[in-house]
């Protein structure tokens, strides 16, 4: 269970405070879209939920434990084990193969490469990009890159999946495929949070949190 309690965040002292003391529980086994106009803090909320930024006020809780305010090392550990992050525009390292991109988060979490490889290959197959494992990110389409990014987020089998505008630059067919992949994550019991202003996504998620 992922929650925020009385959450607020400012990028620096004196700059505008985001989230206004937000308290919210994100439903497990469901997709939640975070919506709101540009600059409201959708991406920032994902970074706070993903423990990359520390709240200025309030906390992030996973299974009832406060984790948002812990030190960097503790937050990194929780992030590696419990959270998968799908960055905006996939954000894959252009110099490394698709397979390596998917394997990497599991190595950070302490797994051995030879144990992770079959898991990574299975995820790539599942999202229809297994044939691209040896390619570089520059050699695949935007829709394929976004599916690779989801495979990468899932390789550690996280309980929480966070996706920032995952359909932002995709045509309808690719957006549908990516959204289906995220909905499948929720069906498996994960908590899925999607920052988006795509009306198509808003129509197909279980819950909407408006900022
Ligand atoms: N690194 C940063 N340093 C300082 N201010 C920032 C930083 N990143 C974002 N902001 C500011 O914080 C606010 C929230 O930004 P954020 O990117 O979370 O909005 P968003 O809702 O995701 O917008 P969009 O729909 O355009 O993606 C904005 O006012 C933005 O200018
Ligand atoms: Mg954003």
């Amino acid at each position: 269970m992922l929650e925020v309690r009385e959450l607020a965040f400012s990028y620096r002292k004196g700059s505008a405070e985001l989230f206004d003391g937000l308290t919210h529980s994100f439903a497990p086994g469901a997709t939640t879209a975070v919506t709101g106009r540009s600059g409201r803090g959708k991406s920032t909320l994902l970074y706070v939920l993903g423990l990359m930024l520390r709240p200025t006020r309030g906390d992030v809780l996973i299974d009832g434990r406060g984790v948002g305010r812990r030190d960097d090392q503790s937050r990194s550990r929780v992030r590696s084990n419990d959270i998968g992050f799908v960055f905006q525009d996939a954000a894959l390292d252009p110099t490394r193969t698709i397979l390596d991109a998917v394997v990497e988060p599991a190595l950070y979490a302490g797994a051995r490469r030879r144990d992770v490889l079959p898991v990574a290959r299975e995820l790539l197959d599942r999202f229809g990009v297994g044939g691209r494992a040896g390619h570089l990110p520059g050699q695949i389409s935007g829709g394929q890159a976004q599916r690779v990014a989801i495979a990468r987020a899932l390789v550690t089998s996280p309980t929480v999946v966070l996706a920032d505008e995952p359909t932002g630059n995709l045509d309808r067919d690719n957006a549908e495929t990516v959204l289906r992949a995220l909905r499948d994550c929720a069906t498996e019991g994960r908590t899925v949070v999607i920052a988006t202003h795509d009306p198509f996504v808003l129509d197909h998620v279980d819950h909407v949190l408006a900022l």
Side-chain angles (χ1 to χ4, degrees), residues 102-144:
V102 175
V103 164
E104 185 183 53
L107 302 182
Y108 277 126
R112 284 180 307 191
R113 185 176 165 84
R114 68 165 179 274
D115 297 330
V116 185
L117 281 172
V119 179
R121 288 188 188 282
E122 194 182 307
L123 281 165
L124 287 170
D125 284 343
R126 176 176 150 195
F127 296 126
V129 282
R132 295 289 182 275
H135 288 59
L136 294 172
Q139 300 170 324
I140 61 174
S141 74
Q144 288 169 337

Side-chain angles (χ1 to χ4, degrees), residues 10-17 56:
S10 348
Y11 276 97
R12 46 184 81 78
K13 260 200 169 66
S15 72
E17 203 182 57
T56 318

Side-chain angles (χ1 to χ4, degrees), residues 25-211:
S25 298
F26 294 88
T31 49
T32 300
V34 176
T35 179
R37 65 181 155 62
S38 178
R40 286 292 287 169
K42 300 181 293 296
S43 298
T44 306
L45 180 60
L46 256 54
Y47 298 142
V48 172
L49 292 173
L51 311 181
M52 287 166 269
L53 295 176
R54 268 171 100 166
T56 318
R57 282 198 285 131
D59 206 352
V60 177
L61 293 86
I62 294 180
D63 294 332
R65 294 172 302 140
V67 291
R69 311 195 67 91
R70 293 184 182 179
D71 64 21
D72 288 354
Q73 195 186 348
S74 174
R75 294 202 324 283
S76 297
R77 197 163 47 235
V78 175
R79 185 190 316 131
S80 300
N81 289 319
D82 294 347
I83 298 171
F85 206 103
V86 183
F87 288 95
Q88 187 156 15
D89 299 326
L92 300 170
D93 180 343
T95 65
R96 310 183 58 199
T97 65
I98 298 308
L99 185 62
D100 281 338
V102 175
V103 164
E104 185 183 53
L107 302 182
Y108 277 126
R112 284 180 307 191
R113 185 176 165 84
R114 68 165 179 274
D115 297 330
V116 185
L117 281 172
V119 179
R121 288 188 188 282
E122 194 182 307
L123 281 165
L124 287 170
D125 284 343
R126 176 176 150 195
F127 296 126
V129 282
R132 295 289 182 275
H135 288 59
L136 294 172
Q139 300 170 324
I140 61 174
S141 74
Q144 288 169 337
Q146 208 54 259
R147 282 180 274 153
V148 170
I150 295 174
R152 178 180 152 88
L154 289 180
V155 73
T156 56
S157 203
T159 53
V160 173
V161 176
L162 308 171
D164 195 3
E165 305 281 359
T167 63
N169 289 317
L170 302 182
D171 62 32
R172 197 71 303 156
D173 277 357
N174 274 303
E176 259 180 65
T177 308
V178 164
L179 186 60
R180 197 175 310 122
L182 289 167
R183 287 169 56 93
D184 288 347
C185 296
T187 307
E188 292 168 357
R190 304 180 209 282
T191 306
V192 179
V193 184
I194 308 168
T196 189
H197 46 238
D198 182 346
F200 176 80
V201 173
L202 295 176
D203 280 347
H204 290 88
V205 290
D206 302 304
H207 306 283
V208 175
L209 170 64
L211 290 182

